[in-house]
Amino acid sequence: MSQRDYAPLSLACVHGLCDKIYDKRKFAGVEIEKMVKDFNDAKNTSQIKRLIRVLGQDLMSSTNPNVKNGALMGLSSVAVGLGKVSSGFDLHQGCIEYLPELIHPIVACFSESESRVRYQAAEALFNVLKIARGAALAHFPLVFDALARLAADPEQQVKQGAELLDRLVKDIVTESQTFELASFIPMLRERIYTRNAFARQFIVSWVSVLDAVPDIDLIVHLPELLDGLFKMLDDTNSEIRRMCDVQLNEFLRSIKKDPSRVDFQAMINILITHAQSPEELMQLTAITWIKEFVELAGASMLPYASGVLCAVLPCLAYHDEPRKSIRETAATVNFQLTKLVVSSSDASPPKEGEGEEPAESDKRLNLDSVVAVLRQMLHHGSVHTKVAALDWILHLYNKLPSEMFEETDKLFVSVVGSLTDGSDDVVRRSLAVLAEICSCSPHADAHQGDLESSPYYYKFLQNLLRLLAADENLLEDRGAFIIRQLCILLNAEDIYKALSKILLEEKNLRFVATMVDVLNTILLTSAELYDLRLQLRNFNKPATHSLFVSLYQCWCHSPVSLLALCLLTHNYSHCNALISTFGDLEITVDFLTEVDKLVQLIESPIFAYMRLELLGGQSEGAAALRGALYGVLMLLPQTDAFHLLRNRLQCAPAHPALTKSTQDDGEKPSIDFDKLLEDFKRVQAAHRAYKLVDRSRSKLLDKGYS
């Protein structure tokens, strides 16, 4: 190894620089500092460049770690020497010209397998940057990449050296007036998805430091960083979660303080994604952000309503204490978003001083996507989620009836299907939605509530009857409840007429008879149908006749229910005519049970007015009524119901002999009772034939035929 090979370094200096003993290396470094200062004072740049080349290329090319460490010590000493310039000269000016040649070989050593070399490189870069300060920002991408690698270094000593270097670089950046944040953000975004715990801490610390600088506006770049920060909230390291949580809270505080510089639209979908995370902290944080976004950004969040609903509605299902905050925050978001949906007539221009409103296209609700989400939520396992979805659908029909009419085909089947739900609240709201659908018109100026003109009115009732026919348990458990709710939501008379009309077309006669019994019981006993009962009792009014005939024709499928209908409407003579035909009927246990129920109804407060009519003594109406009740009595075996009715009749005044005269109790000739009686006989004959076929089919099935 000749002297001139390492000129201007002496061979002794090279040996000292590459020695294992630190003091010898340090001594050689001091010699290089003096040499560089002298070269710099003499403006001998060629010798400085030659010296840097010897250190950064010739010695650095060695595979010997000690030689590399010597080269790093030398480069560090060059920077220090360049910093010791004459008085009055910029302290780092002498270093600027040589920064690329100094930094690049040092940074290259961060990839060395020998940890001692990596540590020495961190120390060398620290010394170079300490001299260069702001001038080093021209090489910031290279330096930051080196820092990111060092942060994840497996050796503790290297990490410690990297931490000192990291603090120095942060000081340089925060004190600089020329730092280009826009160029730095892609570097952060590129590394923010790392899974290494130390690298994550490094990234979050940089975000925190930059956010704390008053002159640096990190909020405008937050959309590029938000997703990565949220993903760190599920880290297994509690310190990383804490750091990230603190920083996100700080960002949210800044957003609430000055929302005008926030790009809400660029971040809302990121929040929607993380609000569906199974990890509690991530989900709560995301939903909390969404709550603030909806409150601060207002109607500009409407285009993202489907995503928000997809995130928050399932959270309403949470009941456990750990997720209570998530549920409550989700409920708040849901309520806030609901308030943003207003009809066009409710919308108002921005108030003076509030700034320019977003374009209408930026505030439009995407009904297709919202309806798709709400349909999906109707199949959710939680009652609270399904109720919220139905409340949303009802709200949309109230606020945007014309627009929602176009979506009805997509919703109809799902809402009808919700009638089979086990929750009363879900069924009640489903009926409210269906009632609104039946009342909804495609034209905003059309008369609302015109059921007959609705394309969904009969379709809904047909689907309802189909559900009840397919599920006996549903009919038994919920049939009466559903009908009563419908009569509250819609016109009871219209409901009964429509159901009667549909049932007349039904081929399953057994179901028709059962359904008539249900409808009759509701008619006679439910408080919701008091007005309809009162209307039927006022039978002398011609308007009641059409309703009576519609019900009569359907009630023909259930003899006892038909008898009750005629008793309700004071058609006592016709009751006698009906009862006279009952002898031709098949008297079954079910039939006698229905008669028993009728006796109980006669004794109930509902028929108090009719019992009082027995006081009419010798009047034709009272006589016909007594005849009808005696007819009922004769149908019964001597059960409790028999004795109950007999005792009642014995309390009534004496009466003349009964006759078979008809139309003697106020019945109007506009109703052809003879024809109605023939209809009854025809329907009952059809029932007998239906039962025969049904029994034959059952016998075949029992024998193994299909």
Side-chain angles (χ1 to χ4, degrees), residues 674-694:
D674 290 335
K675 181 180 181 303
L676 290 178
L677 188 60
E678 290 304 315
D679 288 342
F680 171 72
K681 293 176 180 178
R682 175 181 54 78
V683 170
Q684 287 305 307
H687 270 274
R688 285 193 294 274
Y690 183 86
K691 288 178 182 178
L692 287 173
V693 172
D694 195 43

Side-chain angles (χ1 to χ4, degrees), residues 419 427 431 460-461 464-465 468 474-475 478-492 495-496 499 503 511 515 518-523 526 528-529 532 555:
L419 295 176
V427 174
L431 291 169
F460 157 50
L461 294 179
L464 171 60
L465 291 176
L468 296 175
L474 178 64
L475 176 58
R478 292 300 182 84
F481 172 73
I482 291 173
I483 300 300
R484 289 200 311 271
Q485 291 299 312
L486 274 180
C487 290
I488 295 173
L489 295 165
L490 299 171
N491 182 278
I495 291 292
Y496 265 70
L499 288 175
L503 286 171
F511 167 70
M515 197 66 213
V518 171
L519 292 170
N520 185 65
T521 301
I522 297 169
L523 174 63
S526 297
E528 296 88 348
L529 274 80
L532 188 58
W555 265 232

Side-chain angles (χ1 to χ4, degrees), residues 121-141:
E123 186 177 278
L125 188 57
F126 180 90
N127 289 327
V128 171
L129 297 183
K130 188 175 181 181
I131 300 300
R133 305 299 293 186
L137 292 178
H139 308 280
F140 182 76

Side-chain angles (χ1 to χ4, degrees), residues 309 312-320 327-328 330-331 334 374 377-392 421-427 429:
L309 291 174
V312 302
L313 291 186
C315 297
L316 301 178
Y318 296 152
H319 295 291
D320 55 318
R327 182 184 72 246
E328 292 175 348
N334 185 49
L374 294 175
M377 293 302 158
L378 291 181
H379 302 286
H380 196 274
S382 165
V383 170
H384 297 287
T385 298
K386 287 183 279 194
V387 165
L390 289 164
D391 284 342
W392 256 100
D421 196 89
S423 165
D424 284 354
D425 286 340
V426 172
V427 174
R429 282 172 170 80

Side-chain angles (χ1 to χ4, degrees), residues 534-569:
L534 196 62
Q535 180 181 342
L536 287 166
R537 281 173 54 184
N538 295 327
F539 191 75
N540 287 336
K541 293 184 177 179
T544 305
H545 294 175
S546 172
L547 171 62
F548 174 78
V549 171
S550 295
L551 297 184
Y552 188 106
Q553 291 173 336
C554 186
W555 265 232
C556 284
H557 290 273
S558 176
V560 180
S561 293
L562 182 58
L563 184 60
L565 175 66
C566 292
L567 287 173
L568 176 68
T569 55

Side-chain angles (χ1 to χ4, degrees), residues 327-365:
R327 182 184 72 246
E328 292 175 348
T329 308
T332 302
V333 173
N334 185 49
F335 177 69
Q336 289 174 332
L337 197 61
T338 304
K339 291 195 300 182
L340 295 178
V341 180
V342 296
S343 62
S344 55
S345 60
D346 294 334
S348 57
K351 296 178 182 178
E352 186 176 354
E354 285 188 351
E356 188 175 342
E357 282 283 294
E360 284 302 315
S361 60
D362 295 333
K363 303 190 308 183
R364 190 172 300 138
L365 193 70

Side-chain angles (χ1 to χ4, degrees), residues 13-51:
C13 183
V14 172
H15 285 156
L17 200 60
C18 300
D19 200 283
K20 293 181 180 180
I21 301 174
Y22 176 77
D23 288 342
K24 289 185 177 181
R25 294 203 307 273
K26 184 65 177 174
F27 183 80
V30 171
E31 184 180 337
I32 292 174
E33 288 179 23
K34 293 178 181 178
M35 186 186 303
V36 169
K37 183 179 182 303
D38 292 340
F39 287 152
N40 196 65
D41 289 345
K43 304 286 192 297
N44 192 347
T45 57
S46 61
Q47 283 293 78
I48 296 176
K49 289 181 179 180
R50 168 65 182 159
L51 175 59

